[in-house]
Amino acid sequence: MSNSLGNNLLYQGFLTSTVLEHKSRISPPCVGGNSLFQQQVISKSPLSTEFRGNRLKVQKKKIPMGKKRAFSSSPHAVLTTDTSSELAEKFSLEGNIELQVDVRPPTSGDVSFVDFQVTNGSDKLFLHWGAVKFGKETWSLPNDRPDGTKVYKNKALRTPFVKSGSNSILRLEIRDTAIEAIEFLIYDEAHDKWIKNNGGNFRVKLSRKEIRGPDASVPEELVQIQSYLRWERKGKQNYTPEKEKEEYEAARTELQEEIARGASIQDIRARLTKTNDKSQSKEEPLHVTKSDIPDDLAQAQAYIRWEKAGKPNYPPEKQIEELEEARRELQLELEKGITLDELRKKITKGEIKTKVEKHLKRSSFAVERIQRKKRDFGHLINKYPSSPAVQVQKVLEEPPALSKIKLYAKEKEEQIDDPILNKKIFKVDDGELLVLVAKSSGKTKVHLATDLNQPITLHWALSKSPGEWMVPPSSILPPGSIILDKAAETPFSASSSDGLTSKVQSLDIVIEDGNFVGMPFVLLSGEKWIKNQGSDFYVGFSAASKLALKAAGDGSGTAKSLLDKIADMESEAQKSFMHRFNIAADLIEDATSAGELGFAGILVWMRFMATRQLIWNKNYNVKPREISKAQDRLTDLLQNAFTSHPQYREILRMIMSTVGRGGEGDVGQRIRDEILVIQRNNDCKGGMMEEWHQKLHNNTSPDDVVICQALIDYIKSDFDLGVYWKTLNENGITKERLLSYDRAIHSEPNFRGDQKGGLLRDLGHYMRTLKAVHSGADLESAIANCMGYKTEGEGFMVGVQINPVSGLPSGFQDLLHFVLDHVEDKNVETLLERLLEAREELRPLLLKPNNRLKDLLFLDIALDSTVRTAVERGYEELNNANPEKIMYFISLVLENLALSVDDNEDLVYCLKGWNQALSMSNGGDNHWALFAKAVLDRTRLALASKAEWYHHLLQPSAEYLGSILGVDQWALNIFTEEIIRAGSAASLSSLLNRLDPVLRKTANLGSWQIISPVEAVGYVVVVDELLSVQNEIYEKPTILVAKSVKGEEEIPDGAVALITPDMPDVLSHVSVRARNGKVCFATCFDPNILADFQAKEGRILLLKPTPSDIIYSEVNEIELQSSSNLVEAETSATLRLVKKQFGGCYAISADEFTSEMVGAKSRNIAYLKGKVPSSVGIPTSVALPFGVFEKVLSDDINQGVAKELQILMKKLSEGDFSALGEIRTTVLDLSAPAQLVKELKEKMQGSGMPWPGDEGPKRWEQAWMAIKKVWASKWNERAYFSTRKVKLDHDYLCMAVLVQEIINADYAFVIHTTNPSSGDDSEIYAEVVRGLGETLVGAYPGRALSFICKKKDLNSPQVLGYPSKPIGLFIKRSIIFRSDSNGEDLEGYAGAGLYDSVPMDEEEKVVIDYSSDPLITDGNFRQTILSNIARAGHAIEELYGSPQDIEGVVRDGKIYVVQTRPQM
């Protein structure tokens, strides 16, 4: 819809004067016309001011502060790496925990930064702190506080640290120059303990100079100005008299300190008064001539003048001049003898003669760019604990006990063999009424039952069209029935002979005539009529309802009991929006109890409503103010939930975006009243306007916003009916829909030319009223509700006054005015910057309680929506843009998305990555495109993860509820997709697609990454996931095109090639399998090429890989046959396993490792000890050798487990593969023989390793469980099918367990000493990840950092790709138990990676911020680490004399190798 600025901003433009009615205001110059005519007085310096409420009155001398609500800016927690800190202290706490505090003195201004970093602390640390001022001993509590800070017992502040890897970080910004030092303690909430400094407080002294009053004298007028600037800088807070005095003296101290630094009084005066130099150099400022013209009328007339002039951007002086000219015009009218009321009416009708010069509107390219505030985007991170799963499960698993009628319905449904067409349960008095409709042999059977105690009679009829009452044929009347006029009456009878457990009153009716579509009825109890919430009951005979019920499933993955309640109440909700919103409000408590799934259910229901999938109004007349009041009630409850349950904020925002703002009854009542005034003022009381008037009186809806806009567009087009219908149709309103209203709109508009001006003005004002109720997320109405507006009453019509939201940031109003003035600009970059700046300024207000929070939320939702529409409009701007501009747009849209969603840590780090890429590009770094490609890949992964979350959360509820309510199947199929399309994620994805080919070209990446370069020929088969076909056997040579390849899958038999758009690591399990099995494997980055492959499904293709491309062509059967013969000739001989026996020891040390005792993994690590360079560390190892598992199983204490495993093995041998999971579970029941515990303890302690049992029995149990999990992995599906595929005897596979101490790695790596992609043995290929190596070898999404290094130049590694893995795994000091089977590393078969290695402790998943990772940001550090990795690989290859596959880690710059094996 069009913006309608000219019709809607009369009150927005002058909201300050019309709402607050102040006499004068000093206001900064602003761009745009929406705030042009606030009165301004430019005073001479020295400036002295008095603040009163929301007014600023210019006076002289003293400066008492006003009574606005306090607002303070919030510093943010960031990690500082600034080495220029003047003061730095490091404290050793307990264990290996360290605290470092860096103090950075002011470089300009008066802000000191204090950075805290705790290393190796717990996850929940708080800074308990206060400030100490010069000459004071007690703590004071500064106003500048980081996000999340709470006041503790009015004596201290408590601020949470932010977790960053193994560190916890925090920054304080100290502006108060009177503060000498910061004192603090650290509270460890996770362990409920205080960390002190030798029993006392920590104290950090700031770099301040103590300033004493008598040392420097400052003129009082300068102190007053400085005090005013402080007040303005701090958000114009609401000060007490004591605080005013304190602020005044602080201003004096600041100036004295400036003098102490060498500034003169003249310098200070020039600085403080420079903003007034311009006005001083001019003539005396214009003064408002005293007159009888009220300010609101003068400003309204000034607005009309500004609008007629073309809405130019006036400077402040011109604004004042225009205001005076408007006042002069009105004064002339008064002198003609008219009254103020008459004058007001003439202004409203635009009848005051005015002469203005038409200005050319500024072109969009002239819009001034803004300097955005520098922010650490880390402050955007929203991390909340997951929804209480136990609570949600309780809702799902323990539904409330079924009522008598619901139990009866369940039993009845089980008895009925025929299809059930409809089922409804109504609430009636103190009981319930069940209606079941079934179809049998062309007859319709209606079964009714109720648990009411008193005798009940059914007063009923039949319908051939819904709602119609027709007397039933006498042939179908049940016994005891009587015929009345247009109805029949039939008594219920006690249901006691049907064998059901629930005894109720019931009644059966069989209808043979198939022309009836439903049955209307009411109940009669004695002399009392029982209705459905005041209306008739009605049940339809349509088969669609049954099909929906059948598709609904069991409601798993939903808050089913809540959805069932919604479904039961939908017939009531259909009556009107008032009913629907009140029911939704009643259900908020149930939704809160159900947690995330509960709010998901409410969202789905409201979304069905908003997209017109549900009936908006049905046979019920409701006043607009009643709808408005119901909306207000619902949005108040949503606002409260937003505050009290921050973990659900994202989904609560989404619910609010489907519901209008609502408001007090006066706003809703104006919908009804104002249309009458429009008709009366413009002489349009018949036709379409009267029909619309009747509809508005009966039941207003969001359609009315569209109708109003269509009328405005129609009038503006000089009454072109085509424009009227175009606006309606584009917004989903057809002629049929207009006719479907209870008060139908039959006519088209038909206005006269002389009505044009008045109708445009009045309908423009009316649009504000409609949007205030129905369109909470509409930008104009959302801004108006936050900034305040006032609409006068007229005659019987009530007035409305919406007060401004208090505590809005300084300059925020100007941002919003700019947005409104430029919201339709073609070039959108500056608009996007202002929109994002407005959202950033608004964000702190959304995170704390506020009785106007919902207005702020609706504003934020509207700003978010405007970003999306602006970006889509700006695509044309990017057609010929350089990649840097596209990256900048991506960063803006990503910032917008991060501001809108929860659990956004990954998105925020992507945002930081894009800024890093822009910085690299601007700085001339030739790796910028390669790095940007990694950020792009990670951003795509983050979007995919978000989409998966939406689908998992919302789709089950949409399908279950939608099926019950009869929502169109197509709408259910795309429900989640449409939710995603409505957000910033869709715009972001489009921008990524636009940038991807540009980056690939710039970084010379091509369209392919070749993982296994093998020539192949076969039939093309397209699948969604490789996982779904990994156990298939293809009879013909097959080229698989798989959308998803995670990295841990097997390649199915018969597959000769695997093509995917996914990005598994080159060294992942599936990659190794492909190379070992001589299967062509490649990632395709070009969607067009991929689409061509998919289009060739079923055809035969020949693939010829090059180092950077795959050349493919269609071939015939003959060429396929010759290729197949070649493959068969190359097939290796059958592999064989030799079964290992127990060697008599439960545990052995590294010097006892032999081929009879352990696998190659253990032997290789023992061989390296003492042979590799001293720069390479080798972890200490012991092992549980071959045969120990079988020995433990045969022990008497495990007889029961052995018997159970025998049964399961037989089941497996018979082809029941479900036994695999049961076998793994059963293995975990094994008990440890005492001798095993004894020997393992001795070997570990003898080797210098810690013994878990020393930390208590629980720790040994953890270790024992890890050992059993390694043994059990022999029966994981991937390993079992892999051995079957190469015809290895799985029973002969034996498992040793290698035991090593875990190195808490900074990085992990895998090396192939011959490049696996090219086969080049002159260069080493390696991949590196943050944290432990499981993210590299396991199925973790994203790519590792990859590089090659020539063996003849190990000091010059070449980065091939930067990391895109979002997750790193970290762990405290622990033990890992590694699988070491006799089935690994057989010649021609890569068994490594099939079985599990299990740490004793669970790893911590950390979202990685690569923008602070020195491996990415520090070129020298990167070269050193990568060279050292390559050097270690080369040394080990030379030691063995053959290519090696090596795993290792980096800790504090030192290389450790944890295993090596021959490269396959």
Side-chain angles (χ1 to χ4, degrees):
M1 284 186 255
S2 65
N3 199 0
S4 307
L5 277 174
N7 299 311
N8 288 296
L9 290 182
L10 178 58
Y11 296 103
Q12 292 180 28
F14 312 108
L15 56 93
T16 309
S17 66
T18 56
V19 176
L20 304 175
E21 300 176 354
H22 61 269
K23 297 297 181 185
S24 61
R25 175 184 176 93
I26 291 180
S27 175
C30 60
V31 180
N34 303 332
S35 60
L36 290 177
F37 302 106
Q38 298 169 358
Q39 284 180 280
Q40 301 189 32
V41 176
I42 305 173
S43 64
K44 289 187 176 182
S45 181
L47 174 69
S48 58
T49 54
E50 180 176 353
F51 309 102
R52 292 180 178 170
N54 288 313
R55 309 174 190 177
L56 171 59
K57 183 178 179 183
V58 179
Q59 292 186 346
K60 291 187 178 180
K61 299 301 179 187
K62 61 181 183 179
I63 183 170
M65 302 298 176
K67 297 184 178 180
K68 290 187 66 166
R69 291 190 61 185
F71 171 81
S72 60
S73 61
S74 298
H76 310 299
V78 296
L79 175 60
T80 179
T81 55
D82 187 3
T83 57
S84 65
S85 302
E86 184 172 307
L87 299 174
E89 292 191 58
K90 184 173 284 190
F91 304 86
S92 293
L93 305 180
E94 55 188 37
N96 63 341
I97 302 176
E98 290 185 348
L99 165 66
Q100 179 166 325
V101 186
D102 295 298
V103 179
R104 183 150 56 92
T107 54
S108 62
D110 55 4
V111 182
S112 289
F113 298 97
V114 185
D115 290 303
F116 300 80
Q117 177 174 295
V118 177
T119 305
N120 301 319
S122 81
D123 290 344
K124 290 190 176 180
L125 297 180
F126 291 81
L127 188 74
H128 184 89
W129 63 287
V132 180
K133 295 188 175 182
F134 287 106
K136 305 286 185 180
E137 295 183 1
T138 58
W139 285 10
S140 67
L141 308 183
N143 289 325
D144 297 312
R145 304 165 185 177
D147 289 344
T149 299
K150 294 183 179 179
V151 178
Y152 182 77
K153 296 185 177 179
N154 293 320
K155 294 182 179 179
L157 299 176
R158 187 170 288 185
T159 303
F161 280 79
V162 175
K163 193 70 175 173
S164 178
S166 60
N167 299 329
S168 298
I169 57 176
L170 174 62
R171 165 171 284 185
L172 301 182
E173 294 181 11
I174 307 300
R175 298 181 185 275
D176 192 340
T177 56
I179 294 175
E180 178 186 23
I182 299 297
E183 288 193 0
F184 63 93
L185 303 170
I186 294 177
Y187 176 59
D188 184 347
E189 187 181 69
H191 301 97
D192 192 23
K193 64 180 180 182
W194 292 91
I195 300 175
K196 299 184 178 181
N197 185 18
N198 296 320
N201 296 339
F202 295 88
R203 181 182 176 95
V204 176
K205 189 175 177 63
L206 304 184
S207 179
R208 302 282 201 199
K209 293 183 181 180
E210 183 174 353
I211 305 296
R212 302 184 184 278
D215 295 344
S217 175
V218 183
E220 287 299 308
E221 69 270 15
L222 298 187
V223 178
Q224 290 174 4
I225 297 173
Q226 180 72 359
S227 138
Y228 169 81
L229 294 175
R230 282 175 59 86
W231 173 77
E232 193 175 52
R233 187 174 64 219
K234 292 187 176 185
K236 302 180 179 179
Q237 298 181 30
N238 197 14
Y239 289 152
T240 63
E242 294 77 11
K243 182 63 176 176
E244 289 177 17
K245 184 176 180 182
E246 179 183 330
E247 282 292 303
Y248 193 78
E249 290 307 313
R252 186 192 305 280
T253 301
E254 287 177 344
L255 297 181
Q256 289 172 331
E257 186 176 42
E258 195 171 344
I259 291 170
R261 290 197 293 265
S264 66
I265 295 294
Q266 290 74 17
D267 293 336
I268 293 173
R269 187 183 302 280
R271 176 177 66 79
L272 293 178
T273 61
K274 66 181 179 182
T275 56
N276 297 312
D277 288 347
K278 186 176 179 181
S279 63
Q280 287 178 351
S281 66
K282 296 191 175 191
E283 298 175 1
E284 283 292 313
L286 294 168
H287 292 282
V288 177
T289 304
K290 186 175 180 180
S291 72
D292 297 326
I293 305 298
D295 286 349
D296 63 325
L297 297 188
Q299 294 203 12
Q301 181 65 11
Y303 175 88
I304 293 169
R305 288 177 55 82
W306 168 74
E307 194 174 44
K308 289 184 176 181
K311 302 181 181 178
N313 293 318
Y314 287 145
E317 296 83 358
K318 181 63 174 176
Q319 293 179 30
I320 296 172
E321 181 183 322
E322 282 292 302
L323 183 64
E324 289 307 305
E325 187 61 28
R327 193 183 298 277
R328 188 188 64 78
E329 288 176 345
L330 299 184
Q331 191 68 41
L332 290 174
E333 291 295 323
L334 278 184
E335 289 172 2
K336 295 177 182 177
I338 67 172
T339 65
L340 278 176
D341 284 341
E342 291 170 332
L343 180 63
R344 190 181 300 276
K345 290 177 181 177
K346 292 187 73 172
I347 294 172
T348 304
K349 294 182 179 181
E351 294 176 354
I352 307 296
K353 291 183 179 180
T354 182
K355 293 181 180 180
V356 293
E357 180 183 350
K358 188 78 173 178
H359 290 251
L360 291 175
K361 190 170 183 178
R362 282 176 55 177
S363 56
S364 54
F365 60 79
V367 175
E368 183 182 355
R369 295 285 301 274
I370 65 164
Q371 184 65 40
R372 292 196 60 193
K373 292 182 182 178
K374 291 187 177 180
R375 295 181 173 88
D376 174 11
F377 287 113
H379 82 281
L380 293 179
I381 293 174
N382 292 327
K383 287 178 69 175
Y384 301 110
S386 301
S387 309
V390 174
Q391 185 184 34
V392 175
Q393 280 301 110
K394 185 176 180 182
V395 173
L396 298 178
E397 294 173 4
E398 299 179 20
L402 293 178
S403 66
K404 185 186 291 187
I405 281 295
K406 287 187 174 69
L407 186 61
Y408 177 87
K410 184 172 181 290
E411 294 168 332
K412 191 70 178 177
E413 285 180 82
E414 291 171 357
Q415 286 188 351
I416 297 174
D417 295 328
D418 304 319
I420 295 175
L421 303 182
N422 207 341
K423 171 189 171 183
K424 288 191 175 184
I425 296 179
F426 301 96
K427 293 188 179 300
V428 288
D429 284 0
D430 297 327
E432 292 178 314
L433 171 69
L434 165 70
V435 185
L436 278 176
V437 181
K439 195 83 169 178
S440 176
S441 303
K443 298 178 182 178
T444 301
K445 296 181 179 180
V446 182
H447 184 83
L448 302 99
T450 179
D451 57 355
L452 292 173
N453 293 323
Q454 64 273 29
I456 298 296
T457 297
L458 181 73
H459 183 88
W460 62 288
L462 294 174
S463 303
K464 289 190 176 179
S465 61
E468 181 183 24
W469 280 73
M470 296 179 62
V471 65
S474 58
S475 60
I476 70 167
L477 295 178
S481 300
I482 59 172
I483 294 287
L484 303 173
D485 183 30
K486 293 188 178 180
E489 285 187 353
T490 306
F492 281 70
S493 59
S495 178
S496 57
S497 60
D498 53 12
L500 297 174
T501 58
S502 300
K503 306 306 178 187
V504 297
Q505 296 184 70
S506 65
L507 172 60
D508 289 318
I509 301 172
V510 179
I511 304 156
E512 297 180 355
D513 187 344
N515 293 320
F516 293 111
V517 299
M519 185 177 87
F521 63 93
V522 293
L523 303 180
L524 182 61
S525 174
E527 298 297 321
K528 177 184 175 184
W529 292 102
I530 300 174
K531 294 192 172 187
N532 181 22
Q533 304 289 334
S535 300
D536 298 339
F537 294 96
Y538 182 81
V539 61
F541 299 160
S542 169
S545 301
K546 176 55 191 171
L547 294 175
L549 280 170
K550 191 176 289 186
D554 60 1
S556 59
T558 73
K560 182 176 181 297
S561 59
L562 174 65
L563 298 185
D564 288 340
K565 277 188 181 181
I566 291 173
D568 288 344
M569 302 173 100
E570 175 58 27
S571 59
E572 178 72 5
Q574 290 177 357
K575 290 182 177 178
S576 73
F577 281 112
M578 178 194 73
H579 291 80
R580 189 176 298 282
F581 293 142
N582 277 329
I583 290 170
D586 292 339
L587 292 174
I588 291 297
E589 185 175 349
D590 289 353
T592 305
S593 299
E596 193 172 60
L597 290 177
F599 287 119
I602 298 292
L603 171 60
V604 166
W605 187 37
M606 291 291 103
R607 178 83 179 173
F608 285 157
M609 171 206 72
T611 55
R612 302 189 178 107
Q613 291 295 322
L614 303 177
I615 295 172
W616 280 4
N617 174 237
K618 188 174 183 180
N619 303 322
Y620 202 94
N621 187 358
V622 62
K623 298 174 182 176
R625 67 182 176 194
E626 292 170 336
I627 296 176
S628 178
K629 186 177 179 181
Q631 280 177 294
D632 200 41
R633 178 178 171 231
L634 174 58
T635 51
D636 276 346
L637 290 170
L638 293 171
Q639 165 186 276
N640 296 341
F642 189 91
T643 300
S644 58
H645 295 84
Q647 69 271 37
Y648 306 138
R649 281 177 174 162
E650 179 178 355
I651 200 162
L652 287 163
R653 279 173 57 93
M654 294 167 74
I655 296 171
M656 293 186 76
S657 70
T658 67
V659 182
R661 177 190 178 276
E664 296 302 327
D666 287 350
V667 178
Q669 183 58 32
R670 282 186 68 94
I671 288 179
R672 209 166 184 179
D673 296 345
E674 209 167 326
I675 188 64
L676 292 171
V677 174
I678 292 172
Q679 288 180 279
R680 185 188 65 194
N681 286 352
N682 296 280
D683 189 24
C684 51
K685 296 180 181 178
M688 178 269 171
M689 289 295 284
E690 179 57 27
E691 291 169 357
W692 186 32
H693 163 218
Q694 292 301 323
K695 184 232 181 263
L696 289 160
H697 272 240
N698 184 56
N699 211 311
T700 183
S701 70
D703 280 3
D704 295 315
V705 177
V706 181
I707 294 170
C708 187
Q709 187 63 53
L711 287 173
I712 291 171
D713 293 345
Y714 158 71
I715 297 167
K716 283 183 175 179
S717 68
D718 288 329
F719 311 109
D720 183 345
L721 280 171
V723 171
Y724 170 76
W725 284 109
K726 181 173 182 288
T727 300
L728 290 178
N729 294 336
E730 285 178 351
N731 291 278
I733 298 181
T734 62
K735 190 168 188 177
E736 290 73 24
R737 184 166 182 83
L738 293 175
L739 293 172
S740 72
Y741 300 139
D742 282 353
R743 298 291 187 273
I745 298 178
H746 300 272
S747 307
E748 295 178 325
N750 183 20
F751 301 133
R752 303 187 307 273
D754 63 326
Q755 295 172 304
K756 182 174 182 178
L759 280 171
L760 279 177
R761 179 189 63 246
D762 291 349
L763 287 171
H765 295 162
Y766 192 44
M767 179 70 87
R768 177 206 296 280
T769 302
L770 290 170
K771 286 182 175 180
V773 174
H774 295 301
S775 307
D778 171 75
L779 183 63
E780 291 179 39
S781 62
I783 289 176
N785 282 323
C786 285
M787 305 306 293
Y789 68 89
K790 180 178 180 181
T791 303
E792 299 291 344
E794 183 175 339
F796 59 84
M797 187 170 65
V798 296
V800 173
Q801 176 165 321
I802 302 296
N803 292 321
V805 176
S806 61
L808 294 175
S810 176
F812 188 64
Q813 181 176 339
D814 291 340
L815 277 173
L816 298 183
H817 287 158
F818 179 92
V819 166
L820 282 175
D821 201 31
H822 296 275
V823 74
E824 294 182 350
D825 281 2
K826 184 177 180 182
N827 296 328
V828 299
E829 185 172 334
T830 303
L831 172 64
L832 288 172
E833 291 173 335
R834 302 277 178 124
L835 285 163
L836 267 300
E837 194 65 18
R839 292 200 68 195
E840 290 276 11
E841 292 287 309
L842 192 58
R843 183 175 181 272
L845 300 183
L846 302 178
L847 304 181
K848 46 193 173 186
N850 187 316
N851 63 351
R852 295 284 299 281
L853 178 61
K854 69 179 179 182
D855 287 326
L856 297 174
L857 279 170
F858 278 127
L859 175 57
D860 190 56
I861 291 167
L863 292 168
D864 173 21
S865 177
T866 307
V867 169
R868 297 196 302 271
T869 55
V871 168
E872 290 162 8
R873 191 169 68 252
Y875 286 156
E876 185 178 343
E877 189 176 336
L878 299 177
N879 283 342
N880 299 309
N882 58 39
E884 288 79 8
K885 181 159 187 174
I886 302 174
M887 288 196 293
Y888 183 56
F889 266 59
I890 287 172
S891 71
L892 293 174
V893 179
L894 188 52
E895 182 182 356
N896 190 60
L897 182 61
L899 281 162
S900 303
V901 301
D902 296 332
D903 295 322
N904 62 357
E905 191 173 14
D906 193 12
L907 292 171
V908 171
Y909 291 150
C910 289
L911 174 58
K912 296 178 79 171
W914 284 111
N915 286 332
Q916 176 83 5
L918 278 166
S919 177
M920 291 170 69
S921 176
N922 294 332
D925 190 323
N926 56 13
H927 278 206
W928 74 266
L930 202 58
F931 178 75
K933 180 64 170 75
V935 181
L936 184 146
D937 292 340
R938 179 177 181 176
T939 307
R940 277 181 169 158
L941 287 172
L943 291 180
S945 176
K946 197 68 186 174
E948 187 177 336
W949 178 79
Y950 280 136
H951 192 275
H952 177 75
L953 177 66
L954 300 177
Q955 195 63 27
S957 294
E959 291 177 359
Y960 181 76
L961 182 62
S963 297
I964 296 174
L965 298 182
V967 173
D968 292 336
Q969 189 60 47
W970 65 266
L972 300 184
N973 294 341
I974 63 170
F975 183 85
T976 304
E977 181 183 337
E978 288 302 304
I979 289 278
I980 295 167
R981 286 180 184 277
S984 293
S987 302
L988 182 56
S989 180
S990 177
L991 290 171
L992 295 175
N993 291 340
R994 186 182 290 251
L995 181 64
D996 193 354
V998 178
L999 292 180
R1000 282 193 280 108
K1001 182 178 179 180
T1002 306
N1004 299 313
L1005 293 176
S1007 299
W1008 294 89
Q1009 178 171 24
I1010 312 302
I1011 298 171
S1012 176
V1014 178
E1015 187 172 315
V1017 59
Y1019 291 90
V1020 176
V1021 173
V1022 180
V1023 298
D1024 282 336
E1025 296 179 329
L1026 178 60
L1027 184 66
S1028 66
V1029 297
Q1030 67 173 351
N1031 299 325
E1032 294 286 332
I1033 298 175
Y1034 292 101
E1035 300 298 332
K1036 298 178 180 179
T1038 298
I1039 297 172
L1040 283 175
V1041 181
K1043 181 179 178 182
S1044 171
V1045 177
K1046 298 304 182 188
E1048 286 200 325
E1049 303 92 335
E1050 288 295 319
I1051 296 176
D1053 282 350
V1056 296
L1058 175 59
I1059 306 298
T1060 179
D1062 222 334
M1063 297 175 291
D1065 290 303
V1066 172
L1067 303 183
S1068 66
H1069 173 80
V1070 71
S1071 301
V1072 173
R1073 277 281 174 274
R1075 289 190 291 269
N1076 185 53
K1078 301 296 186 282
V1079 173
C1080 178
F1081 184 19
T1083 293
C1084 179
F1085 296 114
D1086 190 324
N1088 295 321
I1089 295 176
L1090 192 69
D1092 190 42
F1093 265 87
Q1094 293 167 334
K1096 288 179 167 57
E1097 184 168 20
R1099 302 182 194 177
I1100 305 171
L1101 292 185
L1102 170 64
L1103 309 184
K1104 291 188 175 182
T1106 71
S1108 60
D1109 199 0
I1110 285 186
I1111 300 168
Y1112 62 97
S1113 58
E1114 287 193 52
V1115 296
N1116 55 36
E1117 289 275 359
I1118 297 173
E1119 291 172 281
L1120 172 65
Q1121 189 62 41
S1122 63
S1123 174
S1124 299
N1125 292 336
L1126 179 64
V1127 172
E1128 287 173 13
E1130 292 178 349
T1131 302
S1132 60
T1134 304
L1135 300 169
R1136 300 191 63 176
L1137 281 175
V1138 177
K1139 189 164 187 176
K1140 304 293 183 178
Q1141 303 298 323
F1142 179 62
C1145 297
Y1146 282 101
I1148 57 176
S1149 55
D1151 55 7
E1152 301 172 276
F1153 290 178
T1154 67
S1155 61
E1156 291 302 311
M1157 302 293 281
V1158 293
K1161 187 182 296 181
S1162 299
R1163 299 197 308 275
N1164 287 338
I1165 204 70
Y1167 177 74
L1168 291 177
K1169 197 82 170 178
K1171 296 184 179 66
V1172 293
S1174 59
S1175 59
V1176 179
I1178 305 294
T1180 303
S1181 306
V1182 301
L1184 282 74
F1186 292 138
V1188 171
F1189 167 73
E1190 290 78 8
K1191 180 67 174 174
V1192 170
L1193 184 62
S1194 67
D1195 196 288
D1196 290 345
I1197 60 175
N1198 291 311
Q1199 285 183 3
V1201 177
K1203 288 180 181 177
E1204 180 66 22
L1205 282 176
Q1206 267 188 329
I1207 297 169
L1208 292 172
M1209 296 293 187
K1210 185 175 183 300
K1211 185 177 175 182
L1212 180 62
S1213 68
E1214 294 170 351
D1216 186 347
F1217 301 129
S1218 66
L1220 288 167
E1222 298 177 69
I1223 291 171
R1224 293 196 300 272
T1225 302
T1226 305
V1227 168
L1228 301 184
D1229 292 333
L1230 287 170
S1231 298
Q1235 187 62 25
L1236 181 150
V1237 179
K1238 179 176 179 294
E1239 290 186 27
L1240 184 58
K1241 178 178 180 180
E1242 289 173 354
K1243 292 297 181 182
M1244 289 181 70
Q1245 290 180 332
S1247 301
M1249 297 173 67
W1251 169 245
D1254 288 342
E1255 300 176 54
K1258 185 177 179 182
R1259 293 292 287 164
W1260 160 246
E1261 286 301 323
Q1262 284 179 260
W1264 176 236
M1265 180 57 70
I1267 292 168
K1268 291 186 290 185
K1269 285 181 178 179
V1270 175
W1271 284 336
S1273 70
K1274 172 182 173 179
W1275 288 276
N1276 73 54
E1277 283 78 4
R1278 187 159 56 92
Y1280 182 78
F1281 289 112
S1282 178
T1283 54
R1284 279 169 53 95
K1285 189 182 298 183
V1286 293
K1287 298 180 173 56
L1288 285 173
D1289 190 333
H1290 190 262
D1291 291 339
Y1292 277 36
L1293 190 133
C1294 296
M1295 186 75 71
V1297 181
L1298 176 63
V1299 185
Q1300 294 178 324
E1301 191 171 0
I1302 288 182
I1303 298 164
N1304 188 7
D1306 299 321
Y1307 304 98
F1309 59 82
V1310 172
I1311 307 169
H1312 278 196
T1313 58
T1314 291
N1315 189 330
S1317 296
S1318 64
D1320 187 348
D1321 61 5
S1322 72
E1323 64 186 17
I1324 290 168
Y1325 177 89
E1327 294 183 344
V1328 186
V1329 295
R1330 281 287 304 275
L1332 301 177
E1334 180 59 24
T1335 59
L1336 186 54
V1337 299
Y1340 284 81
R1343 298 291 289 274
L1345 182 147
S1346 58
F1347 72 97
I1348 56 172
C1349 193
K1350 292 294 183 181
K1351 293 173 183 176
K1352 64 182 180 181
D1353 187 7
L1354 295 172
N1355 289 323
S1356 302
Q1358 178 187 344
V1359 175
L1360 300 179
Y1362 283 93
S1364 61
K1365 286 185 180 291
I1367 297 294
L1369 297 178
F1370 296 86
I1371 198 168
K1372 63 182 182 180
R1373 186 183 182 191
S1374 186
I1375 304 293
I1376 189 167
F1377 300 88
R1378 299 182 184 275
S1379 59
D1380 190 24
S1381 77
N1382 63 338
E1384 298 180 40
D1385 307 319
L1386 297 172
E1387 187 173 353
Y1389 173 66
L1394 287 175
Y1395 308 102
D1396 295 342
S1397 294
V1398 184
M1400 191 171 78
D1401 297 284
E1402 189 175 347
E1403 304 100 329
E1404 178 189 5
K1405 288 185 178 181
V1406 176
V1407 184
I1408 303 298
D1409 178 7
Y1410 290 112
S1411 69
S1412 61
D1413 182 354
L1415 194 66
I1416 308 303
T1417 61
D1418 186 335
N1420 292 331
F1421 178 83
R1422 180 170 61 247
Q1423 182 185 7
T1424 300
I1425 293 296
L1426 300 189
S1427 294
N1428 288 344
I1429 290 172
R1431 198 170 280 110
H1434 185 51
I1436 292 171
E1437 181 187 52
E1438 289 193 327
L1439 186 63
Y1440 279 94
S1442 63
Q1444 294 292 299
D1445 175 354
I1446 303 162
E1447 295 181 23
V1449 299
V1450 181
R1451 173 68 180 176
D1452 295 330
K1454 183 176 176 63
I1455 306 297
Y1456 295 85
V1457 170
V1458 298
Q1459 69 180 60
T1460 185
R1461 54 181 169 259
Q1463 179 176 332
M1464 304 301 293

